[in-house]
mmCIF file of all heavy atoms in Angstrom:
data_model
loop_
_atom_site.group_PDB
_atom_site.id
_atom_site.type_symbol
_atom_site.label_atom_id
_atom_site.label_comp_id
_atom_site.label_asym_id
_atom_site.label_seq_id
_atom_site.Cartn_x
_atom_site.Cartn_y
_atom_site.Cartn_z
ATOM 1 N N TRP A 1 26.692 35.667 11.386
ATOM 2 C CA TRP A 1 28.050 36.179 11.139
ATOM 3 C C TRP A 1 28.299 36.461 9.662
ATOM 4 O O TRP A 1 29.314 37.070 9.309
ATOM 5 C CB TRP A 1 29.098 35.196 11.650
ATOM 6 C CG TRP A 1 28.939 33.782 11.156
ATOM 7 C CD1 TRP A 1 28.330 32.756 11.818
ATOM 8 C CD2 TRP A 1 29.382 33.238 9.906
ATOM 9 N NE1 TRP A 1 28.360 31.606 11.057
ATOM 10 C CE2 TRP A 1 29.007 31.874 9.886
ATOM 11 C CE3 TRP A 1 30.056 33.765 8.812
ATOM 12 C CZ2 TRP A 1 29.287 31.046 8.802
ATOM 13 C CZ3 TRP A 1 30.343 32.940 7.735
ATOM 14 C CH2 TRP A 1 29.951 31.606 7.735
ATOM 15 N N MET A 2 27.398 36.058 8.784
ATOM 16 C CA MET A 2 27.602 36.256 7.349
ATOM 17 C C MET A 2 27.181 37.679 6.973
ATOM 18 O O MET A 2 26.095 37.925 6.448
ATOM 19 C CB MET A 2 26.827 35.213 6.546
ATOM 20 C CG MET A 2 27.193 35.200 5.069
ATOM 21 S SD MET A 2 26.468 33.802 4.172
ATOM 22 C CE MET A 2 27.613 32.490 4.629
ATOM 23 N N GLN A 3 28.056 38.628 7.249
ATOM 24 C CA GLN A 3 27.778 40.044 7.042
ATOM 25 C C GLN A 3 28.520 40.577 5.817
ATOM 26 O O GLN A 3 28.999 41.698 5.798
ATOM 27 C CB GLN A 3 28.166 40.830 8.293
ATOM 28 C CG GLN A 3 27.413 40.384 9.537
ATOM 29 C CD GLN A 3 27.928 41.072 10.789
ATOM 30 O OE1 GLN A 3 28.824 41.914 10.723
ATOM 31 N NE2 GLN A 3 27.360 40.738 11.936
ATOM 32 N N PHE A 4 28.634 39.756 4.792
ATOM 33 C CA PHE A 4 29.362 40.149 3.578
ATOM 34 C C PHE A 4 28.521 39.789 2.360
ATOM 35 O O PHE A 4 27.464 39.153 2.481
ATOM 36 C CB PHE A 4 30.729 39.469 3.524
ATOM 37 C CG PHE A 4 30.713 38.019 3.928
ATOM 38 C CD1 PHE A 4 30.287 37.036 3.048
ATOM 39 C CD2 PHE A 4 31.119 37.626 5.199
ATOM 40 C CE1 PHE A 4 30.270 35.704 3.416
ATOM 41 C CE2 PHE A 4 31.109 36.287 5.579
ATOM 42 C CZ PHE A 4 30.677 35.326 4.683
ATOM 43 N N ASP A 5 28.996 40.186 1.185
ATOM 44 C CA ASP A 5 28.260 39.944 -0.048
ATOM 45 C C ASP A 5 28.876 38.793 -0.836
ATOM 46 O O ASP A 5 29.901 38.212 -0.446
ATOM 47 C CB ASP A 5 28.203 41.217 -0.906
ATOM 48 C CG ASP A 5 29.584 41.834 -1.110
ATOM 49 O OD1 ASP A 5 30.596 41.117 -0.938
ATOM 50 O OD2 ASP A 5 29.660 43.031 -1.448
ATOM 51 N N ASP A 6 28.259 38.461 -1.975
ATOM 52 C CA ASP A 6 28.734 37.357 -2.809
ATOM 53 C C ASP A 6 30.147 37.600 -3.315
ATOM 54 O O ASP A 6 30.953 36.669 -3.428
ATOM 55 C CB ASP A 6 27.795 37.161 -4.009
ATOM 56 C CG ASP A 6 26.469 36.546 -3.603
ATOM 57 O OD1 ASP A 6 26.244 36.347 -2.403
ATOM 58 O OD2 ASP A 6 25.643 36.277 -4.500
ATOM 59 N N ALA A 7 30.458 38.871 -3.638
ATOM 60 C CA ALA A 7 31.775 39.183 -4.202
ATOM 61 C C ALA A 7 32.883 38.844 -3.219
ATOM 62 O O ALA A 7 33.969 38.405 -3.619
ATOM 63 C CB ALA A 7 31.845 40.661 -4.591
ATOM 64 N N TRP A 8 32.628 39.037 -1.919
ATOM 65 C CA TRP A 8 33.661 38.731 -0.941
ATOM 66 C C TRP A 8 33.914 37.231 -0.862
ATOM 67 O O TRP A 8 35.034 36.795 -0.619
ATOM 68 C CB TRP A 8 33.269 39.270 0.435
ATOM 69 C CG TRP A 8 34.430 39.326 1.389
ATOM 70 C CD1 TRP A 8 35.499 40.177 1.342
ATOM 71 C CD2 TRP A 8 34.649 38.481 2.530
ATOM 72 N NE1 TRP A 8 36.362 39.929 2.384
ATOM 73 C CE2 TRP A 8 35.863 38.887 3.130
ATOM 74 C CE3 TRP A 8 33.939 37.438 3.107
ATOM 75 C CZ2 TRP A 8 36.377 38.288 4.269
ATOM 76 C CZ3 TRP A 8 34.449 36.830 4.257
ATOM 77 C CH2 TRP A 8 35.653 37.250 4.822
ATOM 78 N N VAL A 9 32.884 36.412 -1.071
ATOM 79 C CA VAL A 9 33.069 34.966 -1.106
ATOM 80 C C VAL A 9 34.023 34.595 -2.242
ATOM 81 O O VAL A 9 34.936 33.772 -2.071
ATOM 82 C CB VAL A 9 31.716 34.245 -1.282
ATOM 83 C CG1 VAL A 9 31.928 32.737 -1.416
ATOM 84 C CG2 VAL A 9 30.795 34.545 -0.103
ATOM 85 N N ASP A 10 33.804 35.201 -3.425
ATOM 86 C CA ASP A 10 34.709 34.929 -4.549
ATOM 87 C C ASP A 10 36.128 35.376 -4.245
ATOM 88 O O ASP A 10 37.106 34.728 -4.632
ATOM 89 C CB ASP A 10 34.207 35.640 -5.817
ATOM 90 C CG ASP A 10 33.034 34.921 -6.449
ATOM 91 O OD1 ASP A 10 32.883 33.706 -6.225
ATOM 92 O OD2 ASP A 10 32.263 35.571 -7.173
ATOM 93 N N GLN A 11 36.271 36.505 -3.534
ATOM 94 C CA GLN A 11 37.607 36.995 -3.212
ATOM 95 C C GLN A 11 38.302 36.096 -2.183
ATOM 96 O O GLN A 11 39.513 35.875 -2.272
ATOM 97 C CB GLN A 11 37.524 38.429 -2.690
ATOM 98 C CG GLN A 11 37.153 39.443 -3.763
ATOM 99 C CD GLN A 11 37.174 40.865 -3.247
ATOM 100 O OE1 GLN A 11 37.462 41.120 -2.083
ATOM 101 N NE2 GLN A 11 36.840 41.809 -4.125
ATOM 102 N N VAL A 12 37.551 35.578 -1.223
ATOM 103 C CA VAL A 12 38.135 34.637 -0.263
ATOM 104 C C VAL A 12 38.580 33.374 -0.995
ATOM 105 O O VAL A 12 39.667 32.827 -0.733
ATOM 106 C CB VAL A 12 37.127 34.290 0.853
ATOM 107 C CG1 VAL A 12 37.626 33.116 1.690
ATOM 108 C CG2 VAL A 12 36.899 35.500 1.739
ATOM 109 N N ALA A 13 37.744 32.900 -1.941
ATOM 110 C CA ALA A 13 38.120 31.727 -2.732
ATOM 111 C C ALA A 13 39.408 31.985 -3.501
ATOM 112 O O ALA A 13 40.293 31.134 -3.578
ATOM 113 C CB ALA A 13 36.990 31.361 -3.693
ATOM 114 N N ARG A 14 39.537 33.189 -4.049
ATOM 115 C CA ARG A 14 40.752 33.550 -4.778
ATOM 116 C C ARG A 14 41.952 33.616 -3.843
ATOM 117 O O ARG A 14 43.053 33.160 -4.179
ATOM 118 C CB ARG A 14 40.555 34.902 -5.475
ATOM 119 C CG ARG A 14 41.744 35.360 -6.294
ATOM 120 C CD ARG A 14 41.482 36.730 -6.916
ATOM 121 N NE ARG A 14 41.327 37.765 -5.901
ATOM 122 C CZ ARG A 14 41.061 39.039 -6.172
ATOM 123 N NH1 ARG A 14 40.897 39.426 -7.425
ATOM 124 N NH2 ARG A 14 40.933 39.928 -5.210
ATOM 125 N N GLY A 15 41.766 34.173 -2.648
ATOM 126 C CA GLY A 15 42.863 34.226 -1.689
ATOM 127 C C GLY A 15 43.319 32.844 -1.255
ATOM 128 O O GLY A 15 44.516 32.585 -1.108
ATOM 129 N N LEU A 16 42.369 31.928 -1.065
ATOM 130 C CA LEU A 16 42.731 30.559 -0.710
ATOM 131 C C LEU A 16 43.431 29.861 -1.870
ATOM 132 O O LEU A 16 44.314 29.029 -1.662
ATOM 133 C CB LEU A 16 41.479 29.787 -0.308
ATOM 134 C CG LEU A 16 40.864 30.194 1.044
ATOM 135 C CD1 LEU A 16 39.549 29.481 1.260
ATOM 136 C CD2 LEU A 16 41.819 29.895 2.183
ATOM 137 N N ARG A 17 43.058 30.216 -3.075
ATOM 138 C CA ARG A 17 43.761 29.671 -4.237
ATOM 139 C C ARG A 17 45.220 30.115 -4.216
ATOM 140 O O ARG A 17 46.130 29.330 -4.526
ATOM 141 C CB ARG A 17 43.093 30.130 -5.534
ATOM 142 C CG ARG A 17 43.733 29.580 -6.795
ATOM 143 C CD ARG A 17 43.055 30.142 -8.042
ATOM 144 N NE ARG A 17 41.739 29.588 -8.242
ATOM 145 C CZ ARG A 17 41.494 28.474 -8.940
ATOM 146 N NH1 ARG A 17 42.501 27.803 -9.470
ATOM 147 N NH2 ARG A 17 40.270 28.045 -9.104
ATOM 148 N N ALA A 18 45.462 31.383 -3.858
ATOM 149 C CA ALA A 18 46.837 31.868 -3.754
ATOM 150 C C ALA A 18 47.598 31.102 -2.681
ATOM 151 O O ALA A 18 48.753 30.712 -2.880
ATOM 152 C CB ALA A 18 46.840 33.365 -3.451
ATOM 153 N N CYS A 19 46.950 30.871 -1.526
ATOM 154 C CA CYS A 19 47.604 30.112 -0.460
ATOM 155 C C CYS A 19 47.922 28.697 -0.917
ATOM 156 O O CYS A 19 48.953 28.122 -0.538
ATOM 157 C CB CYS A 19 46.712 30.088 0.776
ATOM 158 S SG CYS A 19 46.521 31.699 1.582
ATOM 159 N N SER A 20 47.048 28.123 -1.746
ATOM 160 C CA SER A 20 47.324 26.797 -2.299
ATOM 161 C C SER A 20 48.582 26.821 -3.154
ATOM 162 O O SER A 20 49.392 25.893 -3.119
ATOM 163 C CB SER A 20 46.116 26.329 -3.123
ATOM 164 O OG SER A 20 46.407 25.152 -3.835
ATOM 165 N N CYS A 21 48.755 27.904 -3.906
ATOM 166 C CA CYS A 21 49.963 28.031 -4.737
ATOM 167 C C CYS A 21 51.227 28.050 -3.883
ATOM 168 O O CYS A 21 52.276 27.555 -4.296
ATOM 169 C CB CYS A 21 49.891 29.301 -5.579
ATOM 170 S SG CYS A 21 48.629 29.301 -6.856
ATOM 171 N N PHE A 22 51.139 28.628 -2.702
ATOM 172 C CA PHE A 22 52.318 28.793 -1.857
ATOM 173 C C PHE A 22 52.747 27.498 -1.178
ATOM 174 O O PHE A 22 53.808 27.454 -0.543
ATOM 175 C CB PHE A 22 52.052 29.856 -0.786
ATOM 176 C CG PHE A 22 51.721 31.217 -1.337
ATOM 177 C CD1 PHE A 22 51.041 32.142 -0.557
ATOM 178 C CD2 PHE A 22 52.072 31.567 -2.628
ATOM 179 C CE1 PHE A 22 50.734 33.397 -1.048
ATOM 180 C CE2 PHE A 22 51.755 32.828 -3.139
ATOM 181 C CZ PHE A 22 51.090 33.737 -2.349
ATOM 182 N N THR A 23 51.937 26.438 -1.294
ATOM 183 C CA THR A 23 52.237 25.189 -0.607
ATOM 184 C C THR A 23 53.597 24.621 -1.003
ATOM 185 O O THR A 23 54.286 23.999 -0.194
ATOM 186 C CB THR A 23 51.143 24.151 -0.913
ATOM 187 O OG1 THR A 23 49.880 24.658 -0.476
ATOM 188 C CG2 THR A 23 51.419 22.832 -0.204
ATOM 189 N N TRP A 24 54.010 24.845 -2.248
ATOM 190 C CA TRP A 24 55.267 24.264 -2.747
ATOM 191 C C TRP A 24 56.489 25.139 -2.471
ATOM 192 O O TRP A 24 57.628 24.695 -2.650
ATOM 193 C CB TRP A 24 55.165 24.032 -4.255
ATOM 194 C CG TRP A 24 54.067 23.088 -4.620
ATOM 195 C CD1 TRP A 24 52.817 23.407 -5.082
ATOM 196 C CD2 TRP A 24 54.102 21.662 -4.537
ATOM 197 N NE1 TRP A 24 52.080 22.272 -5.293
ATOM 198 C CE2 TRP A 24 52.844 21.183 -4.960
ATOM 199 C CE3 TRP A 24 55.076 20.747 -4.137
ATOM 200 C CZ2 TRP A 24 52.533 19.833 -5.013
ATOM 201 C CZ3 TRP A 24 54.772 19.394 -4.177
ATOM 202 C CH2 TRP A 24 53.514 18.956 -4.612
ATOM 203 N N ILE A 25 56.271 26.367 -2.029
ATOM 204 C CA ILE A 25 57.355 27.342 -1.908
ATOM 205 C C ILE A 25 58.453 26.921 -0.928
ATOM 206 O O ILE A 25 59.630 27.267 -1.121
ATOM 207 C CB ILE A 25 56.781 28.723 -1.542
ATOM 208 C CG1 ILE A 25 55.884 29.230 -2.669
ATOM 209 C CG2 ILE A 25 57.881 29.714 -1.259
ATOM 210 C CD1 ILE A 25 56.573 29.370 -4.013
ATOM 211 N N PRO A 26 58.161 26.171 0.155
ATOM 212 C CA PRO A 26 59.256 25.760 1.048
ATOM 213 C C PRO A 26 60.394 25.043 0.342
ATOM 214 O O PRO A 26 61.555 25.175 0.760
ATOM 215 C CB PRO A 26 58.554 24.833 2.049
ATOM 216 C CG PRO A 26 57.169 25.367 2.127
ATOM 217 C CD PRO A 26 56.843 25.810 0.722
ATOM 218 N N LEU A 27 60.107 24.314 -0.732
ATOM 219 C CA LEU A 27 61.179 23.623 -1.443
ATOM 220 C C LEU A 27 62.086 24.613 -2.172
ATOM 221 O O LEU A 27 63.269 24.329 -2.389
ATOM 222 C CB LEU A 27 60.581 22.620 -2.438
ATOM 223 C CG LEU A 27 59.766 21.482 -1.815
ATOM 224 C CD1 LEU A 27 59.231 20.554 -2.895
ATOM 225 C CD2 LEU A 27 60.609 20.704 -0.811
ATOM 226 N N TYR A 28 61.540 25.764 -2.531
ATOM 227 C CA TYR A 28 62.385 26.818 -3.114
ATOM 228 C C TYR A 28 63.271 27.438 -2.036
ATOM 229 O O TYR A 28 64.475 27.629 -2.237
ATOM 230 C CB TYR A 28 61.512 27.903 -3.751
ATOM 231 C CG TYR A 28 62.300 29.147 -4.111
ATOM 232 C CD1 TYR A 28 63.054 29.195 -5.271
ATOM 233 C CD2 TYR A 28 62.323 30.255 -3.256
ATOM 234 C CE1 TYR A 28 63.806 30.325 -5.583
ATOM 235 C CE2 TYR A 28 63.059 31.383 -3.559
ATOM 236 C CZ TYR A 28 63.807 31.413 -4.722
ATOM 237 O OH TYR A 28 64.551 32.512 -5.026
ATOM 238 N N TRP A 29 62.676 27.748 -0.876
ATOM 239 C CA TRP A 29 63.439 28.434 0.162
ATOM 240 C C TRP A 29 64.549 27.570 0.735
ATOM 241 O O TRP A 29 65.514 28.086 1.311
ATOM 242 C CB TRP A 29 62.511 28.887 1.292
ATOM 243 C CG TRP A 29 61.605 30.018 0.922
ATOM 244 C CD1 TRP A 29 60.248 30.010 0.929
ATOM 245 C CD2 TRP A 29 61.991 31.328 0.486
ATOM 246 N NE1 TRP A 29 59.763 31.225 0.518
ATOM 247 C CE2 TRP A 29 60.816 32.053 0.242
ATOM 248 C CE3 TRP A 29 63.218 31.953 0.280
ATOM 249 C CZ2 TRP A 29 60.821 33.373 -0.194
ATOM 250 C CZ3 TRP A 29 63.230 33.269 -0.160
ATOM 251 C CH2 TRP A 29 62.054 33.959 -0.392
ATOM 252 N N LEU A 30 64.464 26.245 0.596
ATOM 253 C CA LEU A 30 65.566 25.393 1.029
ATOM 254 C C LEU A 30 66.861 25.790 0.329
ATOM 255 O O LEU A 30 67.938 25.805 0.943
ATOM 256 C CB LEU A 30 65.253 23.925 0.736
ATOM 257 C CG LEU A 30 64.314 23.194 1.692
ATOM 258 C CD1 LEU A 30 64.073 21.771 1.190
ATOM 259 C CD2 LEU A 30 64.891 23.155 3.110
ATOM 260 N N SER A 31 66.771 26.097 -0.947
ATOM 261 C CA SER A 31 67.954 26.529 -1.702
ATOM 262 C C SER A 31 68.416 27.902 -1.243
ATOM 263 O O SER A 31 69.600 28.134 -0.999
ATOM 264 C CB SER A 31 67.643 26.555 -3.204
ATOM 265 O OG SER A 31 67.315 25.272 -3.665
ATOM 266 N N TYR A 32 67.472 28.817 -1.132
ATOM 267 C CA TYR A 32 67.817 30.180 -0.731
ATOM 268 C C TYR A 32 68.517 30.206 0.625
ATOM 269 O O TYR A 32 69.486 30.940 0.836
ATOM 270 C CB TYR A 32 66.546 31.025 -0.692
ATOM 271 C CG TYR A 32 66.756 32.437 -0.203
ATOM 272 C CD1 TYR A 32 67.078 33.453 -1.088
ATOM 273 C CD2 TYR A 32 66.636 32.757 1.151
ATOM 274 C CE1 TYR A 32 67.281 34.754 -0.641
ATOM 275 C CE2 TYR A 32 66.843 34.044 1.613
ATOM 276 C CZ TYR A 32 67.163 35.031 0.703
ATOM 277 O OH TYR A 32 67.377 36.317 1.150
ATOM 278 N N ASN A 33 68.032 29.407 1.559
ATOM 279 C CA ASN A 33 68.560 29.443 2.925
ATOM 280 C C ASN A 33 69.996 28.956 3.034
ATOM 281 O O ASN A 33 70.655 29.200 4.057
ATOM 282 C CB ASN A 33 67.667 28.615 3.848
ATOM 283 C CG ASN A 33 66.307 29.258 4.064
ATOM 284 O OD1 ASN A 33 66.146 30.462 3.896
ATOM 285 N ND2 ASN A 33 65.322 28.446 4.429
ATOM 286 N N GLN A 34 70.497 28.266 2.024
ATOM 287 C CA GLN A 34 71.903 27.838 2.052
ATOM 288 C C GLN A 34 72.842 29.043 2.093
ATOM 289 O O GLN A 34 73.972 28.944 2.577
ATOM 290 C CB GLN A 34 72.218 26.969 0.835
ATOM 291 C CG GLN A 34 71.422 25.678 0.757
ATOM 292 C CD GLN A 34 71.629 24.785 1.945
ATOM 293 O OE1 GLN A 34 72.754 24.506 2.345
ATOM 294 N NE2 GLN A 34 70.532 24.326 2.540
ATOM 295 N N MET A 35 72.385 30.203 1.583
ATOM 296 C CA MET A 35 73.234 31.397 1.579
ATOM 297 C C MET A 35 73.473 31.933 2.977
ATOM 298 O O MET A 35 74.467 32.627 3.225
ATOM 299 C CB MET A 35 72.590 32.496 0.724
ATOM 300 C CG MET A 35 72.459 32.182 -0.744
ATOM 301 S SD MET A 35 71.989 33.644 -1.690
ATOM 302 C CE MET A 35 70.532 34.178 -0.825
ATOM 303 N N ASN A 36 72.527 31.659 3.894
ATOM 304 C CA ASN A 36 72.613 32.254 5.226
ATOM 305 C C ASN A 36 73.599 31.555 6.146
ATOM 306 O O ASN A 36 73.928 32.083 7.205
ATOM 307 C CB ASN A 36 71.224 32.254 5.879
ATOM 308 C CG ASN A 36 70.226 33.098 5.116
ATOM 309 O OD1 ASN A 36 70.592 34.065 4.468
ATOM 310 N ND2 ASN A 36 68.955 32.712 5.183
ATOM 311 N N ASN A 37 74.033 30.364 5.769
ATOM 312 C CA ASN A 37 74.918 29.636 6.678
ATOM 313 C C ASN A 37 75.931 28.768 5.939
ATOM 314 O O ASN A 37 77.124 29.032 5.984
ATOM 315 C CB ASN A 37 74.087 28.788 7.656
ATOM 316 C CG ASN A 37 72.825 28.248 7.022
ATOM 317 O OD1 ASN A 37 72.879 27.444 6.101
ATOM 318 N ND2 ASN A 37 71.672 28.692 7.506
ATOM 319 N N ASN A 38 75.476 27.747 5.228
ATOM 320 C CA ASN A 38 76.422 26.786 4.658
ATOM 321 C C ASN A 38 77.335 27.396 3.604
ATOM 322 O O ASN A 38 78.526 27.060 3.540
ATOM 323 C CB ASN A 38 75.661 25.588 4.064
ATOM 324 C CG ASN A 38 75.165 24.645 5.144
ATOM 325 O OD1 ASN A 38 75.789 24.512 6.192
ATOM 326 N ND2 ASN A 38 74.039 23.999 4.910
ATOM 327 N N LEU A 39 76.815 28.272 2.760
ATOM 328 C CA LEU A 39 77.682 28.882 1.748
ATOM 329 C C LEU A 39 78.678 29.852 2.398
ATOM 330 O O LEU A 39 79.797 30.026 1.895
ATOM 331 C CB LEU A 39 76.855 29.595 0.681
ATOM 332 C CG LEU A 39 76.159 28.682 -0.336
ATOM 333 C CD1 LEU A 39 75.313 29.497 -1.300
ATOM 334 C CD2 LEU A 39 77.186 27.851 -1.108
ATOM 335 N N VAL A 40 78.290 30.478 3.505
ATOM 336 C CA VAL A 40 79.225 31.341 4.239
ATOM 337 C C VAL A 40 80.361 30.493 4.804
ATOM 338 O O VAL A 40 81.545 30.859 4.722
ATOM 339 C CB VAL A 40 78.495 32.100 5.358
ATOM 340 C CG1 VAL A 40 79.491 32.893 6.203
ATOM 341 C CG2 VAL A 40 77.453 33.045 4.768
ATOM 342 N N SER A 41 80.003 29.341 5.367
ATOM 343 C CA SER A 41 81.023 28.444 5.909
ATOM 344 C C SER A 41 81.877 27.853 4.793
ATOM 345 O O SER A 41 83.093 27.661 4.968
ATOM 346 C CB SER A 41 80.355 27.315 6.707
ATOM 347 O OG SER A 41 79.622 27.830 7.785
ATOM 348 N N GLN A 42 81.275 27.578 3.658
ATOM 349 C CA GLN A 42 82.034 27.060 2.516
ATOM 350 C C GLN A 42 83.100 28.066 2.080
ATOM 351 O O GLN A 42 84.241 27.693 1.772
ATOM 352 C CB GLN A 42 81.090 26.764 1.348
ATOM 353 C CG GLN A 42 81.784 26.124 0.149
ATOM 354 C CD GLN A 42 80.849 26.028 -1.057
ATOM 355 O OE1 GLN A 42 80.532 27.029 -1.697
ATOM 356 N NE2 GLN A 42 80.436 24.805 -1.378
ATOM 357 N N ALA A 43 82.736 29.353 2.087
ATOM 358 C CA ALA A 43 83.694 30.385 1.677
ATOM 359 C C ALA A 43 84.915 30.403 2.591
ATOM 360 O O ALA A 43 86.042 30.669 2.145
ATOM 361 C CB ALA A 43 83.016 31.751 1.681
#
């Protein structure tokens, strides 16, 4: 199944690094999501 070259391995590693960066993003979206409901009700 290994039908790719060395460069693609490096690119997959880079893509997984990006996914690692996204691990913390849910804590940001908790703030953003307040606009969709609670801040509307607050108004």
